[in-house]
């Protein structure tokens, strides 16, 4: 199908996706088969050796999952993609593709708690060491490279602080030291950011979030060159077994068709909410790349097509006030995860980033009062009304305590 000029939204609907040959079904068939029959032994050998397209055993690939993989590779602008059973499977597989015992990895400071755990707790058990480094500071990154450093891993914008990193500059620096750059682009989706075009070697996603977008699948994706993706398929996930199954690949293919619409609404709502929070007297700090005061606002505008749906903030009164605020919400739900249609709030210090020791959390800027909000697809006015009533509870408390209203 000729689609050289199709835009992103058209590719998200039609890319790598033809009606089923036998039934002419428009939506993608779910093929749960584990085993595939071959006409002869030579064909079987060619498929196993990767010399001929096809599936041969469920752990190494599946036709429904392959449709998703082709589609994501196309949307992300990469040669190949592999679908995996979770975002953490994608992150660990991407890192293990480059690292072995005796190697060192550089990781940006404020990363998702699961990534922190893998690098700080699990990888060392296999002889892999790490340094967390402030990747907004290129000199600090260059200084942290060790003779045995084998990869640079970043997340941008970061979870939960929305730090934006200069991918072109980091790719240049990594390549000048012979290192691959791996980027967790979960907060952006290929709709808003294309790390491979900026020089990254691998892109990883938790497809659990915006790519599927409906809060009913746990999945991950790695996109990059054929050599590395083949290695991950055969050696890493082939041996560790974190394959993505057909049913979940189907759900993601379904979610993908509305990704552009959804992501643009998330972004529009998040911008309105960040501006509302910034002007509220009970809010002391707001982290959102779409605000002019964000430290990397200009970089974000140059590197990203939209600012994403996550807003983090602190309320006056720290942890106790933050808890009261969250407990007072009526529309937004207290919940893990992000990128769902529902607005979700969570408290990183006791929830997603709980396993990071308090001293490290503070070093990374994750204060005890920080609240992360995944702005949903509800009407922005309704979300703001909910915030207004919950923040109002804090003002009542302050008035009660001090006999005056904060300015
Ligand atoms: C930025 C980021 N990367 C990776 C993950 C891990 O994804 P999963 O839960 O699909 O393993 C998460 C989960 O919240 C995340 O926020």
């Amino acid at each position: 199908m000729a689609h050289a000029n199709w835009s992103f939204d058209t590719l998200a609907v039609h890319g790598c996706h033809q009606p089923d040959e036998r039934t002419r079904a428009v939506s993608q068939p779910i093929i749960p088969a584990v085993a595939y029959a071959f006409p002869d032994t030579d064909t079987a050998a060619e498929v196993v050796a990767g010399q001929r397209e096809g599936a041969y055993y469920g752990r190494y690939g599946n036709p429904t999952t392959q449709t998703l993989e082709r589609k994501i590779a196309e949307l992300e602008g990469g040669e190949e993609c592999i679908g995996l059973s979770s975002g953490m499977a994608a992150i660990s597989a991407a890192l293990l593709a480059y690292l072995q015992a005796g190697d060192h990895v550089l990781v940006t400071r404020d990363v998702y708690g699961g990534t922190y755990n893998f690098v700080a707790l699990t990888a060392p058990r296999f002889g892999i060491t790490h340094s967390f480094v402030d990747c907004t500071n290129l000199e600090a990154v260059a200084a942290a490279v060790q003779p045995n450093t084998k990869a640079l891993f970043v997340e941008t914008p970061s979870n939960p602080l929305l730090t934006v990193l200069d991918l072109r500059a980091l790719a240049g620096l990594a390549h000048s030291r012979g290192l691959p750059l791996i980027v967790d682009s979960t907060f952006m989706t290929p709709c808003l950011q294309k790390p491979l075009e900026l020089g990254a070697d691998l892109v990883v996603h938790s497809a659990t979030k915006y790519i599927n977008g409906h809060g009913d699948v746990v999945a991950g994706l790695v996109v990059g060159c054929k050599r590395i993706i083949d290695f991950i398929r055969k050696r890493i996930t082939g041996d560790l077994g974190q394959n993505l199954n057909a049913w979940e690949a189907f759900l993601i293919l379904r979610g993908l068709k509305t990704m552009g619409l959804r992501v643009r609404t998330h972004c529009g709502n998040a911008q309105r909410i960040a501006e509302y929070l910034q002007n509220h007297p009970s809010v002391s700090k707001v982290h959102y790349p779409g605000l002019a005061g964000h430290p990397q606002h200009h970089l974000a505008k140059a590197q990203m097509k939209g600012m994403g749906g996550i807003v983090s903030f602190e309320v006056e009164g720290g942890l106790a006030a933050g808890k009261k605020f969250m407990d007072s919400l009526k529309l937004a739900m207290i919940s893990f995860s992000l990128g769902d249609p529902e607005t979700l709030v969570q408290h990183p210090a006791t929830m997603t980033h709980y396993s990071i020791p308090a001293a490290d959390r503070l070093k990374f800027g994750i204060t005890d009062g920080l609240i992360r909000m995944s702005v949903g697809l509800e009407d922005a006015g309704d979300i703001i009304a909910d915030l207004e009533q919950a923040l109002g509870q804090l003002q009542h408390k302050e008035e009660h305590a001090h006999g005056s209203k904060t300015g």
Side-chain angles (χ1 to χ4, degrees), residues 14 23 31 71 92 97 103 146 159 238 253 283 296 312 344 363 407:
H14 290 279
T23 61
I31 302 173
K71 198 154 179 161
S92 54
D103 291 344
Q146 299 180 10
N159 182 359
L253 281 163
V283 176
Q296 295 97 29
S312 292
L344 305 174
K363 230 191 300 166

Short mmCIF file of all heavy atoms in Angstrom, two decimals, residues 14 23 31 71 92 97 103 146 159 238 253 283 296 312 344 363 407:
data_model
loop_
_atom_site.label_atom_id
_atom_site.label_comp_id
_atom_site.label_asym_id
_atom_site.label_seq_id
_atom_site.Cartn_x
_atom_site.Cartn_y
_atom_site.Cartn_z
N HIS A 14 -3.94 3.09 9.58
CA HIS A 14 -3.80 2.15 8.46
C HIS A 14 -2.43 1.48 8.33
O HIS A 14 -2.30 0.51 7.60
CB HIS A 14 -4.05 2.89 7.14
CG HIS A 14 -5.48 3.28 6.95
ND1 HIS A 14 -6.44 2.42 6.51
CD2 HIS A 14 -6.11 4.47 7.17
CE1 HIS A 14 -7.61 3.05 6.44
NE2 HIS A 14 -7.43 4.29 6.84
N THR A 23 -10.82 -13.52 5.15
CA THR A 23 -12.18 -13.10 5.51
C THR A 23 -12.49 -11.66 5.09
O THR A 23 -13.63 -11.24 5.14
CB THR A 23 -12.35 -13.16 7.03
OG1 THR A 23 -11.40 -12.25 7.61
CG2 THR A 23 -12.10 -14.55 7.58
N ILE A 31 -4.57 -14.05 16.47
CA ILE A 31 -4.10 -15.41 16.17
C ILE A 31 -3.33 -15.90 17.39
O ILE A 31 -2.17 -15.54 17.59
CB ILE A 31 -3.22 -15.41 14.91
CG1 ILE A 31 -4.01 -14.85 13.72
CG2 ILE A 31 -2.70 -16.83 14.62
CD1 ILE A 31 -3.22 -14.64 12.47
N LYS A 71 3.98 -1.92 12.93
CA LYS A 71 3.30 -0.62 13.00
C LYS A 71 4.10 0.35 13.89
O LYS A 71 4.31 1.51 13.54
CB LYS A 71 1.89 -0.84 13.56
CG LYS A 71 0.96 0.28 13.30
CD LYS A 71 -0.46 -0.25 13.30
CE LYS A 71 -1.42 0.87 13.06
NZ LYS A 71 -2.72 0.41 12.60
N SER A 92 14.60 -3.72 30.70
CA SER A 92 15.66 -4.66 31.09
C SER A 92 16.25 -5.34 29.85
O SER A 92 17.47 -5.53 29.76
CB SER A 92 15.14 -5.68 32.10
OG SER A 92 13.99 -6.33 31.61
N ALA A 97 20.79 -6.05 26.32
CA ALA A 97 21.31 -6.22 24.95
C ALA A 97 22.72 -5.65 24.84
O ALA A 97 23.50 -6.07 23.98
CB ALA A 97 20.38 -5.53 23.95
N ASP A 103 30.42 -4.78 33.13
CA ASP A 103 30.10 -3.52 32.45
C ASP A 103 29.43 -2.53 33.40
O ASP A 103 28.92 -2.90 34.46
CB ASP A 103 29.16 -3.77 31.26
CG ASP A 103 29.83 -4.53 30.13
OD1 ASP A 103 31.09 -4.59 30.13
OD2 ASP A 103 29.12 -5.07 29.27
N GLN A 146 33.02 5.80 32.40
CA GLN A 146 34.15 5.00 32.90
C GLN A 146 34.67 4.12 31.76
O GLN A 146 33.97 3.92 30.77
CB GLN A 146 33.68 4.13 34.07
CG GLN A 146 33.17 4.96 35.25
CD GLN A 146 32.69 4.11 36.42
OE1 GLN A 146 32.90 2.89 36.46
NE2 GLN A 146 32.06 4.75 37.38
N ASN A 159 9.91 10.70 34.84
CA ASN A 159 8.86 10.35 35.78
C ASN A 159 9.43 10.40 37.19
O ASN A 159 10.34 9.64 37.48
CB ASN A 159 8.39 8.92 35.44
CG ASN A 159 7.26 8.43 36.31
OD1 ASN A 159 6.81 9.13 37.19
ND2 ASN A 159 6.83 7.21 36.07
N GLY A 238 14.06 -14.40 24.22
CA GLY A 238 13.94 -15.81 23.85
C GLY A 238 14.31 -16.70 25.03
O GLY A 238 13.67 -17.73 25.29
N LEU A 253 -3.20 -2.64 19.32
CA LEU A 253 -3.49 -2.21 17.94
C LEU A 253 -4.79 -1.40 17.91
O LEU A 253 -4.91 -0.41 17.18
CB LEU A 253 -3.60 -3.43 17.01
CG LEU A 253 -2.26 -4.03 16.58
CD1 LEU A 253 -2.46 -5.43 16.03
CD2 LEU A 253 -1.58 -3.14 15.55
N VAL A 283 -0.84 26.08 45.94
CA VAL A 283 0.12 25.23 45.22
C VAL A 283 1.48 25.93 45.22
O VAL A 283 1.58 27.10 44.81
CB VAL A 283 -0.37 24.96 43.78
CG1 VAL A 283 0.65 24.17 42.99
CG2 VAL A 283 -1.71 24.23 43.82
N GLN A 296 13.40 23.55 31.22
CA GLN A 296 13.74 23.16 29.83
C GLN A 296 12.58 23.44 28.88
O GLN A 296 12.38 22.73 27.90
CB GLN A 296 14.11 21.67 29.78
CG GLN A 296 15.37 21.28 30.52
CD GLN A 296 15.06 20.75 31.91
OE1 GLN A 296 14.01 20.17 32.16
NE2 GLN A 296 16.00 20.95 32.82
N SER A 312 3.20 17.35 37.59
CA SER A 312 3.55 17.07 38.99
C SER A 312 3.56 18.39 39.74
O SER A 312 3.90 19.43 39.18
CB SER A 312 4.92 16.39 39.08
OG SER A 312 4.83 15.10 38.53
N LEU A 344 -5.67 10.28 37.08
CA LEU A 344 -5.13 9.49 38.19
C LEU A 344 -4.09 10.33 38.93
O LEU A 344 -3.27 10.99 38.30
CB LEU A 344 -4.46 8.21 37.65
CG LEU A 344 -5.32 7.30 36.76
CD1 LEU A 344 -4.48 6.15 36.20
CD2 LEU A 344 -6.52 6.75 37.54
N LYS A 363 17.81 13.56 46.59
CA LYS A 363 18.89 13.96 45.67
C LYS A 363 18.32 14.14 44.26
O LYS A 363 18.72 15.01 43.51
CB LYS A 363 19.96 12.86 45.66
CG LYS A 363 21.37 13.38 45.87
CD LYS A 363 22.44 12.34 45.59
CE LYS A 363 22.37 11.11 46.47
NZ LYS A 363 23.18 9.98 46.01
N GLY A 407 -1.99 34.05 50.59
CA GLY A 407 -2.13 34.90 49.44
C GLY A 407 -2.01 34.27 48.13
O GLY A 407 -2.16 34.80 47.12
#
